Amino acid sequence: MGFHDLDLTERLLIARRGTAFFAQRLTEFTDSQLNSDTLLRGWTRKHLLAHLGYNAVALCRLLDWAATGVETPMYQSAEHRDNEITDGAMLSAAALRNLFDHTVARLDQKWRHLPPMSWEAGVRTAQGRVVPAAETVWMRTREVWIHAVDLDSGAQFGDFPSVVLESLLSDIVAAWRRNGRGAGLVLEVTGAAPVHVDGVARTGTVQGALAAVVRWAAGRGAVDVTLRGRDPQPPRWL
Ligand code: ZN
């Protein structure tokens, strides 16, 4: 059972739980600790907060697009998105905490008011894929749960609901396949059928519990996984 098999209400609940999980980690940092590095190279916690704030705004644009039919892309360009984060990271800690809270509320309000018909309306992700507006719930869910770990707050993949872990793994494998990466790689998750990334002969195996394999596949480190026949770096995902 994956995230997409759940009712919309349940999916929204998991997104909101992820937001609360992230927000809770945030309350544990002092303002000056927001200047510290995250687990993402070159990004401080302030960069991450700016990114999540502007990501919510970008998802609001997709929901406006779905509601009105007037095309409003997530971001004008990749460069614009990056500049927004760089500039945002220079804001004060108070301003960034505010940005996070405010944009979370705005996104939630858009979800609550989206007309039932509009959830299936097609919108385009930053990677250029056309998806139904309902996909914004999953897009946000991924962001808040994974970035809570990136904050270097002690949060772990093992804290995620298992349905999130399972859907993350499907997403990552689908992205590898779409982009022709990970040929010959087999993922062996404890208690599940092995996942062959593509049909060619096996060149490497990654084995472990679901949370550890997802962590590795998402590029967040090879911890508690057994790697055979391949280097520790996973294929690129996003
Ligand atoms: Zn992100």
Side-chain angles (χ1 to χ4, degrees):
M1 168 104 123
F3 186 83
H4 297 85
D5 301 315
L6 301 173
D7 288 345
L8 182 59
T9 324
E10 283 177 88
R11 281 180 273 154
L12 285 166
L13 189 70
I14 294 174
R16 289 177 184 128
R17 272 177 58 201
T19 298
F21 184 74
F22 184 95
Q24 178 57 39
R25 308 278 91 69
L26 211 53
T27 62
E28 290 161 9
F29 298 130
T30 61
D31 284 355
S32 68
Q33 284 175 327
L34 294 184
N35 295 311
S36 302
D37 288 342
T38 61
L39 303 180
L40 298 175
R41 191 193 307 267
W43 273 19
T44 64
R45 289 174 178 144
K46 282 187 163 183
H47 285 90
L48 205 46
L49 265 184
H51 164 52
L52 270 185
Y54 296 130
N55 169 263
V57 176
L59 292 175
C60 286
R61 284 194 280 268
L62 293 189
L63 294 166
D64 287 343
W65 178 354
T68 63
V70 178
E71 183 168 336
T72 42
M74 283 186 81
Y75 302 103
Q76 284 172 32
S77 64
E79 194 192 0
H80 187 264
R81 170 190 175 274
D82 294 347
N83 289 341
E84 204 172 45
I85 296 168
T86 311
D87 293 347
M90 306 217 262
L91 294 170
S92 70
L96 281 165
R97 288 181 196 272
N98 232 315
L99 175 76
F100 179 76
D101 292 345
H102 178 82
T103 54
V104 159
R106 204 168 128 195
L107 176 59
D108 212 51
Q109 192 201 21
K110 296 278 180 195
W111 276 333
R112 270 186 280 122
H113 293 106
L114 191 67
M117 295 277 294
S118 302
W119 285 94
E120 289 309 312
V123 293
R124 207 169 44 245
T125 69
Q127 282 83 34
R129 277 188 319 127
V130 175
V131 297
E135 186 69 7
T136 54
V137 182
W138 173 241
M139 290 159 75
R140 185 63 176 178
T141 297
R142 287 188 333 198
E143 290 288 322
V144 286
W145 286 102
I146 295 181
H147 288 324
V149 173
D150 294 331
L151 275 176
D152 196 11
S153 61
Q156 296 176 359
F157 278 74
D159 296 326
F160 300 5
S162 56
V163 70
V164 171
L165 290 173
E166 275 155 29
S167 293
L168 270 173
L169 196 60
S170 321
D171 248 38
I172 294 171
V173 170
W176 287 342
R177 287 176 179 152
R178 244 189 345 264
N179 298 306
R181 301 191 181 117
L185 174 62
V186 180
L187 304 178
E188 293 183 358
V189 172
T190 314
V195 177
H196 296 253
V197 176
D198 78 15
V200 302
R202 181 191 296 242
T203 57
T205 304
V206 179
Q207 196 178 41
L210 180 61
V213 173
V214 175
R215 175 185 176 170
W216 175 81
R220 265 66 177 185
V223 179
D224 295 332
V225 286
T226 308
L227 299 159
R228 281 193 305 270
R230 63 166 299 118
D231 67 84
Q233 278 304 100
R236 255 194 57 215
W237 164 34
L238 289 175

